[in-house]
Amino acid sequence: DIKLNLENGIKVNSNFNSDINLDEKFLNENIKFFRKPDFLNNIKNLKANFNNSFFIDFDDTFKVNNYNYKFSGQINKSKIELSKPFKNSFVFDEIKEIYLSDINIQSIFSPKNIEISGDGSYSFNNLNFLKIDFANKMKEDLYNLQLNFDFKENFKIDLINYKKSNNSLSKLNIDLQKKNENIELKNFKYSDGKDSIQINNLKLKSNEFSTFKKIIVKTKNNDFFIENDKKILIKGNRFDAINIFKFFNTENEVSLIKKFNSKIEIDFKNINFPMSERLKNFRLIGEIKLGKFTKISAKGDYGGNNFLDISMKKEKIGNKKYLEIYSDLTRPLLSEYNFFNGLSGGKLFYTSIIDGSKYDSKLKIENFKVINAPGLIKLLSLADLGGLADLAEGDGLSFDILEIKMQKDKNIMKLSEILALGPSISVLMEGYQDKSGLTSLRG
C-alpha cells in the first residue's frame, strides 16, 4: 500500500512484503541492471523474505527533506563467493565461500543513521553451520560493529605456540569502532574451553598501531597479561617461547608498531624454550623507540647455576646500538638455525653493533661437541686418535671454540670468518647467506 499526503510538499508512506529468490543464472544475466555489480558479483544465490516500510518527505521542488526505510525478515539461504580466497598466518585452510542460513535480520536506513542487526547460522566453505549474531551501526563518519560467532576451523598463533584443538567449538566476540582513519578494537575475546585471549582498547591510525590498554592470554602453556599505562608491563606465570626466535627471524617490511615509543618491563616466572629447555625468573627492563628496542637489561635462570644475560645500549650521539648476549646453554638460542644442528653443550657469547639495517656481529661458543656430524667431518676426524676416541665413545666431536664474524646489510649476510678449533679437527671458512636462506661457504 502507498499513501500520499500533498499538503506542504509531498509525503509518501508505504508498506509492502518482498519475496526474493535469486540464483546464479539470474544474477549473471541481469547484473548489468544493478548499480554496484562488484558486490553483487560475489552473491551466487539469495533466498529471503522481508516486511518493508518506508517514508519519504519531498519539498515543493521534489528535493528530499527526509526519509526512513525499515525492513525485517529472514534470509533463508545465501551463498557469497569471495573474490580472493582468504588465508593468513593464523588460519590453516583457505576460506573461499561464505554461506548464510536462517538469518533473522532487522534494519533501519535514515539520512544520519544506518542500523543492521541479525542472528542465525553461517558456514565457511559449506562445511559446518554455526551460530552468528551481529549489530552494525553507522552514523555519519562513525561505524560500530558488534560481532559474535562460533567456529570450528583450525587456528594458530605462532608467537605463543598456540594451536586450536581440532573440531573444538570456539567463540569469538568482537566490538569494533571506526571513525575516519581511526580504528579502535574496544573488545576482542577468543575462547575455546579453558583457553582464552582477550584484547581491550587496541587502536590503529591509518593501519598503523597506535596504542592498547590490556591483553590477557590464558592457554595450556601460557598465562600472562600485557598492560599499557605509563609503561608496557608484560607479566605472568608461563610463556611458551618455543617459536619466539622463528617469529623474530621473519623479515617484516611493514611493522604495525613502527611508531610505538615506550618503556617496557617483562617479568615471567617460567619460559618454555626450544629443545625442552626452561628459563625461570626472567626479568627485563628496557625501552622501545619507533617499534625497536634501544635499551635492554635482562637476566634469567636456566637452573643448575646456568644463566642468560642480555644487555643493549644506545650511544648518546648517533644511532648505533650495542647488543650483548651471554648464555650458559646454547641450544635454546640456536635451535632455529640449521647450521648449528647437532651442536651440544658449550657456553655462548654474542655481540653486535647495530646501525640502522646494518649489523656487525660476532658469535663465540666455547667447549662444545657436534653430535651426528656430516660423514666428511667424521672421516677427517679419524686422522687423529682424539677424534677416533670421540667417535668410539659416541659423544660427538669435541671443539674448544667456535667464532663466527658476520656483517648483515639488507638481504645479504656476509660470513667473513668461521673458525672452529678442536683436538681432532679445525675448520676455517668464509661465505654468505642470502634472504632465501641459501648459504655458500668455502674454506
Side-chain angles (χ1 to χ4, degrees):
D1 65 77
I2 298 178
K3 295 179 182 180
L4 297 177
N5 186 331
L6 303 181
E7 298 176 356
N8 300 320
I10 302 173
K11 295 179 176 61
V12 182
N13 285 276
S14 178
N15 297 280
F16 63 94
N17 296 330
S18 57
D19 291 323
I20 303 171
N21 193 354
L22 305 179
D23 58 19
E24 188 169 358
K25 180 181 178 182
F26 175 86
L27 290 167
N28 289 337
E29 291 176 351
N30 297 278
I31 197 71
K32 60 185 178 180
F33 296 108
F34 295 99
R35 296 185 64 185
K36 296 184 178 180
D38 290 341
F39 170 74
L40 291 174
N41 271 331
N42 295 332
I43 299 177
K44 299 307 176 183
N45 65 57
L46 174 62
K47 187 174 182 180
N49 54 79
F50 301 119
N51 298 316
N52 310 267
S53 66
F54 71 83
F55 162 78
I56 305 177
D57 180 11
F58 299 92
D59 65 12
D60 293 332
T61 66
F62 298 101
K63 178 183 177 181
V64 175
N65 287 327
N66 196 8
Y67 68 87
N68 186 287
Y69 171 53
K70 300 179 181 179
F71 73 83
S72 63
Q74 186 175 78
I75 298 175
N76 304 113
K77 65 177 182 178
S78 179
K79 175 185 175 183
I80 302 170
E81 191 174 277
L82 301 182
S83 302
K84 294 181 180 180
F86 174 81
K87 187 177 182 180
N88 59 25
S89 58
F90 300 106
V91 181
F92 289 118
D93 303 318
E94 283 189 347
I95 299 173
K96 299 179 180 179
E97 300 164 337
I98 300 175
Y99 291 79
L100 302 177
S101 176
D102 300 327
I103 300 288
N104 299 306
I105 191 167
Q106 302 85 35
S107 71
I108 301 174
F109 293 85
S110 63
K112 294 184 178 180
N113 295 286
I114 298 176
E115 296 183 16
I116 303 174
S117 61
D119 63 85
S121 301
Y122 84 99
S123 172
F124 292 139
N125 302 328
N126 204 23
L127 295 177
N128 301 297
F129 277 86
L130 303 168
K131 292 181 181 180
I132 184 172
D133 67 80
F134 57 90
N136 293 330
K137 294 182 180 181
M138 289 161 273
K139 185 176 182 179
E140 296 179 347
D141 57 354
L142 182 64
Y143 172 80
N144 183 253
L145 168 66
Q146 292 180 326
L147 177 63
N148 307 296
F149 62 96
D150 299 343
F151 72 101
K152 285 189 174 181
E153 279 67 31
N154 292 327
F155 174 79
K156 66 175 181 178
I157 304 177
D158 283 336
L159 178 59
I160 58 174
N161 193 32
Y162 174 77
K163 290 184 180 180
K164 172 184 171 293
S165 303
N166 289 332
N167 297 319
S168 64
L169 185 64
S170 303
K171 295 181 181 294
L172 264 178
N173 307 101
I174 299 171
D175 186 354
L176 182 145
Q177 183 172 289
K178 183 178 185 296
K179 186 173 183 179
N180 299 324
E181 296 299 317
N182 299 315
I183 298 175
E184 180 179 0
L185 188 60
K186 300 178 74 174
N187 185 58
F188 171 94
K189 186 174 182 180
Y190 161 85
S191 57
D192 184 353
K194 295 182 179 180
D195 297 336
S196 66
I197 299 170
Q198 186 169 346
I199 303 173
N200 298 121
N201 301 104
L202 186 148
K203 297 180 181 180
L204 301 174
K205 186 174 183 179
S206 301
N207 291 326
E208 291 183 354
F209 179 82
S210 175
T211 187
F212 70 96
K213 187 175 182 180
K214 196 166 187 177
I215 300 173
I216 303 172
V217 179
K218 289 183 179 292
T219 68
K220 180 180 179 181
N221 298 321
N222 294 278
D223 180 10
F224 64 90
F225 68 86
I226 307 174
E227 197 171 65
N228 182 25
D229 192 5
K230 295 180 180 179
K231 63 181 177 183
I232 296 176
L233 175 63
I234 306 175
K235 187 174 183 178
N237 294 316
R238 298 187 306 277
F239 173 53
D240 193 333
I242 288 178
N243 292 326
I244 191 75
F245 299 109
K246 181 191 298 184
F247 179 83
F248 284 111
N249 195 40
T250 302
E251 293 291 338
N252 186 1
E253 298 296 334
V254 182
S255 173
L256 287 176
I257 61 171
K258 63 182 181 181
K259 292 186 177 180
F260 198 69
N261 303 301
S262 177
K263 292 183 178 180
I264 184 169
E265 183 177 331
I266 300 175
D267 185 356
F268 283 120
K269 290 184 179 180
N270 295 281
I271 297 180
N272 292 334
F273 269 142
M275 310 299 291
S276 300
E277 302 288 357
R278 293 179 180 273
L279 187 68
K280 295 183 178 181
N281 301 321
F282 178 77
R283 291 291 308 274
L284 180 147
I285 298 174
E287 191 170 347
I288 296 174
K289 288 188 177 180
L290 299 178
K292 296 182 178 180
F293 276 103
T294 59
K295 183 179 179 181
I296 297 175
S297 178
K299 190 177 184 68
D301 183 359
Y302 292 114
N305 203 30
N306 295 311
F307 299 95
L308 169 68
D309 288 280
I310 305 173
S311 68
M312 175 186 282
K313 297 179 181 179
K314 183 179 179 297
E315 60 184 8
K316 294 181 179 180
I317 301 175
N319 295 317
K320 287 185 179 180
K321 296 181 289 186
Y322 301 88
L323 172 66
E324 293 185 356
I325 301 175
Y326 173 81
S327 178
D328 284 315
L329 302 181
T330 58
R331 295 196 307 171
L333 304 183
L334 301 178
S335 62
E336 274 303 310
Y337 302 94
N338 293 330
F339 184 84
F340 298 102
N341 281 353
L343 189 146
S344 175
K347 299 181 183 296
L348 178 148
F349 186 64
Y350 174 82
T351 60
S352 183
I353 301 173
I354 305 168
D355 187 3
S357 62
K358 296 180 180 180
Y359 296 74
D360 191 347
S361 308
K362 182 177 180 180
L363 174 66
K364 183 178 179 181
I365 304 175
E366 297 178 340
N367 299 321
F368 65 95
K369 291 187 177 183
V370 178
I371 302 172
N372 297 324
L376 178 61
I377 294 182
K378 286 186 177 181
L379 181 63
L380 292 173
S381 69
L382 296 178
D384 180 83
L385 294 179
L388 184 60
D390 281 341
L391 292 178
E393 294 174 1
D395 293 331
L397 297 171
S398 298
F399 286 90
D400 298 321
I401 192 170
L402 167 68
E403 289 188 1
I404 301 178
K405 297 178 181 179
M406 46 196 155
Q407 297 83 36
K408 184 178 180 181
D409 187 3
K410 295 182 179 178
N411 298 328
I412 296 293
M413 178 183 289
K414 181 183 177 183
L415 302 167
S416 57
E417 182 179 86
I418 302 176
L419 173 65
L421 301 175
S424 54
I425 183 172
S426 298
V427 179
L428 179 62
M429 292 185 291
E430 63 179 0
Y432 69 89
Q433 184 180 70
D434 64 17
K435 186 177 181 180
S436 67
L438 176 66
T439 304
S440 176
L441 298 172
R442 68 176 182 179

